[in-house]
Amino acid sequence: MPTVGPLHAQETTHSPAASNEIAQVEAEIDRIEAQTLERISSPPDNQIQQIELLGKLMLYDKQLSVNRNEACAFCHMPETGFTGPVSELNRTTGSYPGSVRTRFSDRKPQSHAYAPLSPVLHYNPGQGDLVGGNFWDMRATGRRLGNPAAEQAQGPPTNPVEMGLTDSACAVYRASQRPYRALFERVWGPQAFVIGWPANVEQVCNRPGPPPADDPTPVHVGPLDRGRIGATFDQMAQTIATYEASAEVSPFTSKFDAVLADKAQFTPQEQAGYDLFRGKAQCNSCHRDGGPGEDPRFTDFTASNIGVPRNPRLPYYQEQQPDALGYAANPDGASFIDGGVGRFLTQNHLLSQPSVVDANWVPLAPANQGRFQVPTLRNVDKRPYPGFVKAYGHNGYFTSLKSIVHFYNTRDALPRCLPDDPGEGTTCWPAPESTANLNTKRVGRLGLSDAEEDALVSFMQTRPTDTCRATSSEDDHLDGTGPPPGFRRMATHVSSKIDVPATISSKRSGAAASYD
C-alpha cells in the first residue's frame, strides 16, 4: 500500500507491487507507440483514418508531458476499457500520479471510450438537469469546439497533477518535435507549427506547472503566434477525440450488442440480472440501454450524488503543503470535500479548466453541489485477468462491482459505520462525502436479495465476445487473485474490434457506478 506522509505530497511513495505494475504499463505504452509509429511511413489515404492514426499517436506519446514520462494512455489503457490500468493503484490510492510522480489527482480516471458520444453540455429546464460534457464534473463542456471529448483532451496537458505542462504552447512545441509532425501538417495544414519559438522554450517547458500567477502563459510569443498555438492545440484535441470515437475505442461490439442483433443469448443468471437492471434495481433510469433511435450508451449524461463515502486512501488529502517545487495541489488538506459539478460551476480550485463556465449556469451551482456525471457502463468490468482490481465511483472508493451494487442496494438500509468498523461495506456504510442533493429516489434502499445482487454482478461481468487474449489465456489463471502465469498485457489496441467488453456486464455495473 502506498505510504503517504502526514504533510508533504513528495513523501508519497509507491509500493514495490505498484512500481512493478507501473513499469509494465509504461513498457506497454512504449510498445504500442512504436508499433503505431511504424504506420506513418505509409499512412492511410482516407483523411479520417489519418486523423485517427494521429490521435492514437498522441494518446500514447509520453513526450507530451512535462517530464516526458506520462502519456494520456497511462490512465486510459485498452485492457481495462480505457480507464486506470494499474491494479495496485486502483486497490490503494484510487487516483493516479502525474508526470511529477509525487502529485496525485483528486479523482479516479474515467474511461474515454464512448466519451465523444456525450452531447455538448446544456441545461434541460424540463428535467432540471445539466446534460452532457466530459469529466466527472462536466467541466469539458464542448461549447467552444462543439465536442466535449476534444475539450476534455485539453485538460490533462496543463493540469499540474497530470501531464504537468506550464503552458498549452508546450504541448504544441513538443508535438512539433515528434515523428508525426509531417502527418499532422498533411491533415491540418503546413501552418500548424510555423511559430517563432523563444530561445528559452525548452527551459520553460521542462519546468512543471502551474505557471506563475503573474505570468500565466510563460512561453512568450507574439499575438499572431499565440493565436496559431491556440488553433493547433485545438486541432490536437480534435484529433484525439476523433480517435476516441473510432471503432478501435468505441466499437459497440460487446455481448450485449450481439444479443440485440440476435447473435448471442444471455445465460439465465445474466437474463435475471438484466431484468433487475430494467426493473427492481432501476439502473436503466440513468444508465440507458437504448430505445427507439437511441444507441445503448448506458448513461443519460446527467449528474447525480449517490452518496459515495469519502475515500481516505486518496493521496490528494495529503497534498496541502507545497511540494519540492512549491506547489500545493490541495490547500484544504484533509477537510477537502469534492463538490463535483457544483465545484466546476463555482470554479472552486479546479486543477484544470479547459472550458469556460457559462454565466447563465452559475445560479445552478447549489442544485449541482455534490453531483457527478453518470458514467457509461460499457467496459465496466473489462480487465486483463480475473484478479485485476478495478475502482468505481468518482473517488475510487469501491474496488469491486459487488461492493458498489451492495451500496446502491443498502446505503440507507444499513447503519452508519463506527470508526475502523470491520463491517464497513458489508454491514454498515460510512457517511456520504457530501449530503448535498443526495439521490434518495433510486439509491439506498432497493430491497434486493444477496442473490439478486449477484445476478446484477453476473450481468456486469459477462465477457465480451471479442476480447483479445493475453499471451497466456485468462483461463490459465489458477487462484483468481493474480495474473496468469506468463501474463503479458493484452494487445487490444491492435485490432479495431476488441474494445467494448461486456456491455451487459457493463450494464449492471452501471447500477453500481450509476450516478457517480
Side-chain angles (χ1 to χ4, degrees):
M1 185 170 209
T3 301
V4 181
L7 293 177
H8 301 290
Q10 63 263 33
E11 294 177 8
T12 300
T13 58
H14 303 126
S15 68
S19 296
N20 181 57
E21 273 195 89
I22 289 171
Q24 291 180 18
V25 170
E26 291 172 337
E28 179 67 355
I29 289 171
D30 290 345
R31 190 186 72 79
I32 294 172
E33 182 191 31
Q35 183 184 63
T36 309
L37 280 170
E38 293 175 359
R39 297 170 54 195
I40 64 175
S41 60
S42 55
D45 293 329
N46 182 271
Q47 186 184 52
I48 297 301
Q49 292 175 358
Q50 292 171 5
I51 297 173
E52 291 175 356
L53 174 59
L54 267 176
K56 183 171 184 176
L57 286 166
M58 290 180 178
L59 274 172
Y60 287 91
D61 189 356
K62 63 186 180 184
Q63 299 294 322
L64 299 182
S65 65
V66 64
N67 290 323
R68 304 176 189 270
N69 63 340
E70 181 161 295
C72 292
F74 179 71
C75 295
H76 306 279
M77 288 292 279
E79 64 264 30
T80 53
F82 295 95
T83 185
V86 181
S87 178
E88 185 67 6
L89 292 182
N90 298 338
R91 186 183 71 83
T92 56
T93 61
S95 64
Y96 277 52
S99 182
V100 178
R101 290 301 197 211
T102 55
R103 297 177 180 178
F104 282 73
S105 184
D106 53 343
R107 298 174 183 144
K108 86 163 212 76
Q110 279 186 300
S111 170
H112 67 220
Y114 304 93
L117 303 180
S118 179
V120 171
L121 188 64
H122 59 281
Y123 180 63
N124 183 324
Q127 64 188 57
D129 281 319
L130 284 165
V131 183
N134 272 192
F135 283 127
W136 286 108
D137 57 11
M138 301 174 156
R139 72 184 186 278
T141 68
R143 294 287 294 277
R144 186 173 67 84
L145 296 180
N147 187 335
E151 291 184 23
Q152 184 279 331
Q154 295 186 324
T158 57
N159 186 330
V161 303
E162 294 190 44
M163 299 174 81
L165 295 171
T166 193
D167 189 327
S168 60
C170 295
V172 175
Y173 173 73
R174 294 276 182 90
S176 75
Q177 310 297 304
R178 304 298 293 139
Y180 49 76
R181 172 175 175 159
L183 180 58
F184 192 99
E185 291 172 328
R186 176 176 172 179
V187 169
W188 296 107
Q191 80 294 332
F193 300 112
V194 182
I195 297 163
W197 299 108
N200 68 341
V201 63
E202 286 279 359
Q203 178 184 353
V204 171
C205 292
N206 286 340
R207 178 173 177 80
D214 60 353
D215 190 11
T217 52
V219 176
H220 296 156
V221 295
L224 292 179
D225 282 335
R226 180 55 67 174
R228 183 162 293 160
I229 287 168
T232 301
F233 191 53
D234 286 348
Q235 291 159 352
M236 292 171 65
Q238 290 165 329
T239 296
I240 290 171
T242 298
Y243 171 64
E244 292 174 347
S246 73
E248 185 168 330
V249 181
S250 305
F252 290 97
T253 54
S254 70
K255 181 178 179 179
F256 178 79
D257 300 292
V259 170
L260 289 183
D262 293 325
K263 295 179 179 179
Q265 291 184 334
F266 293 132
T267 67
Q269 189 178 38
E270 292 163 6
Q271 184 64 57
Y274 185 40
D275 292 342
L276 289 164
F277 183 91
R278 293 185 58 87
K280 184 177 180 181
Q282 305 182 70
C283 312
N284 196 53
S285 298
C286 297
H287 295 281
R288 298 284 301 153
D289 66 349
E294 180 183 349
D295 286 329
R297 292 176 287 192
F298 294 95
T299 175
D300 63 359
F301 302 106
T302 63
S304 183
N305 179 10
I306 63 168
V308 175
R310 126 193 195 116
N311 183 0
R313 303 185 303 275
L314 287 176
Y316 187 73
Y317 288 119
Q318 307 296 332
E319 295 182 61
Q320 76 271 38
Q321 295 294 332
D323 61 17
L325 298 170
Y327 174 67
N330 176 18
D332 292 337
S335 64
F336 169 76
I337 296 175
D338 196 338
V341 178
R343 178 181 167 199
F344 159 56
L345 296 177
T346 57
Q347 302 178 71
N348 182 14
H349 192 67
L350 301 177
L351 296 172
S352 70
Q353 187 173 354
S355 308
V356 174
V357 176
D358 186 327
N360 294 320
W361 296 341
V362 174
L364 304 176
N368 283 279
Q369 195 67 25
R371 299 176 75 184
F372 295 88
Q373 189 177 58
V374 177
T376 178
L377 299 185
R378 284 187 173 269
N379 295 320
V380 72
D381 194 51
K382 186 169 188 178
R383 62 189 75 218
Y385 56 87
F388 183 96
V389 175
K390 292 191 76 170
Y392 302 97
H394 70 276
N395 59 11
Y397 173 84
F398 304 99
T399 55
S400 73
L401 290 179
K402 174 67 174 181
S403 67
I404 192 168
V405 170
H406 188 56
F407 176 79
Y408 266 76
N409 183 29
T410 64
R411 183 196 68 195
D412 300 334
L414 295 177
R416 289 280 176 259
C417 293
L418 298 173
D420 301 316
D421 197 313
E424 180 176 342
T426 304
T427 58
C428 68
W429 291 108
E433 178 181 12
S434 171
T435 58
N437 305 300
L438 190 67
N439 188 322
T440 57
K441 184 177 180 181
R442 296 188 174 94
V443 182
R445 199 182 295 270
L446 301 180
L448 303 175
S449 68
D450 187 63
E452 288 174 325
E453 288 185 359
D454 288 343
L456 283 169
V457 170
S458 177
F459 174 61
M460 290 186 280
Q461 290 178 331
T462 303
R463 290 177 182 268
T465 56
D466 55 358
T467 298
C468 182
R469 291 285 186 170
T471 299
S472 294
S473 167
E474 290 181 2
D475 296 333
D476 292 337
H477 186 265
L478 300 178
D479 62 6
T481 58
F487 169 74
R488 180 173 73 77
R489 292 196 168 260
M490 296 160 64
T492 43
H493 49 278
V494 176
S495 169
S496 65
K497 298 164 60 171
I498 31 185
D499 293 340
V500 206
T503 296
I504 288 198
S505 111
S506 119
K507 289 171 136 195
R508 186 20 197 177
S509 150
S514 205
Y515 302 93
D516 323 4

